[in-house]
Amino acid sequence: CLIIVLSYKKNIVILIMNFFKHETAIIDEPVKIGLGTKIWHYSHVSENAQIGKNVIIGQNVFIGKGVVIGDGCKIQNNVSVYEGVTLENFVFLGPSVVFTNVKIPRANVEQKNNFLKTLLKNGTTVGANSTIICGNILEENCFVGAGSLVTKNVKANSLVFGSPAKHIRYIR
């Protein structure tokens, strides 16, 4: 992700990045970040995350440990993508989308070994203020309407909406 050029004669260190990082963003190490990606204000990318090419990560986004984000994804402001989540290519997450990674969270029970995987396949769109419960697969090109609660798998090319989200119709 970074190319470091050292000039011993002039005691200068030059960092050449193949992605953009706002000065307030935090990027833990190690991570992989693709060419052309932009990470905006107050966002945090945790260790071992993998972010593809030409991804836009909006303001105040949290990317958890080991999260995988494919090429061309757009993650709007105030989104939390927790450990166990994978976004394939060209996934869109509207503002304030939230993922979970434990089915029955408890403050007094350690559950880091119980994280369930969540997969959003190519071309998925998730509308603003939606919550995706862990352990589900959102198939290719599905569309989750704003404010929805996804509690089960979503079929390819399907529009779902509501709390809990229900199939409305198929889309292109």
Side-chain angles (χ1 to χ4, degrees), residues 89-110:
N89 300 320
F90 303 103
V91 170
F92 177 89
L93 301 178
S96 301
V97 166
V98 174
F99 292 88
T100 68
N101 56 11
V102 174
K103 284 270 189 183
I104 304 172
R106 297 285 190 195
N108 62 339
V109 178
E110 179 63 50

Side-chain angles (χ1 to χ4, degrees), residues 58-62 74-82 92-100 126-132 145-149:
Q59 181 174 316
N60 195 40
V61 170
F62 175 75
K74 293 185 179 177
I75 303 174
Q76 300 298 313
N77 298 348
N78 304 311
V79 173
S80 297
V81 185
Y82 295 119
F92 177 89
L93 301 178
S96 301
V97 166
V98 174
F99 292 88
T100 68
V126 181
N129 296 305
S130 293
T131 299
I132 311 300
S148 294
L149 173 63

Side-chain angles (χ1 to χ4, degrees), residues 133-145:
I133 302 299
C134 58
N136 291 302
I137 298 172
L138 283 68
E139 296 288 347
E140 290 85 0
N141 301 309
C142 70
F143 194 108
V144 176

Side-chain angles (χ1 to χ4, degrees), residues 2-48:
L2 296 176
I3 299 170
I4 301 173
V5 178
L6 300 173
S7 173
Y8 294 106
K9 293 180 182 178
K10 297 183 182 178
N11 201 20
I12 297 173
V13 176
I14 300 171
L15 298 176
I16 301 172
M17 295 191 279
N18 59 8
F19 62 90
F20 170 81
K21 170 196 166 294
H22 188 271
E23 64 185 31
T24 61
I26 297 169
I27 300 177
D28 296 341
E29 292 182 13
V31 298
K32 293 181 182 177
I33 300 173
L35 180 68
T37 289
K38 294 178 179 157
I39 302 170
W40 289 101
H41 309 71
Y42 308 108
S43 290
H44 183 177
V45 179
S46 299
E47 66 186 58
N48 297 316

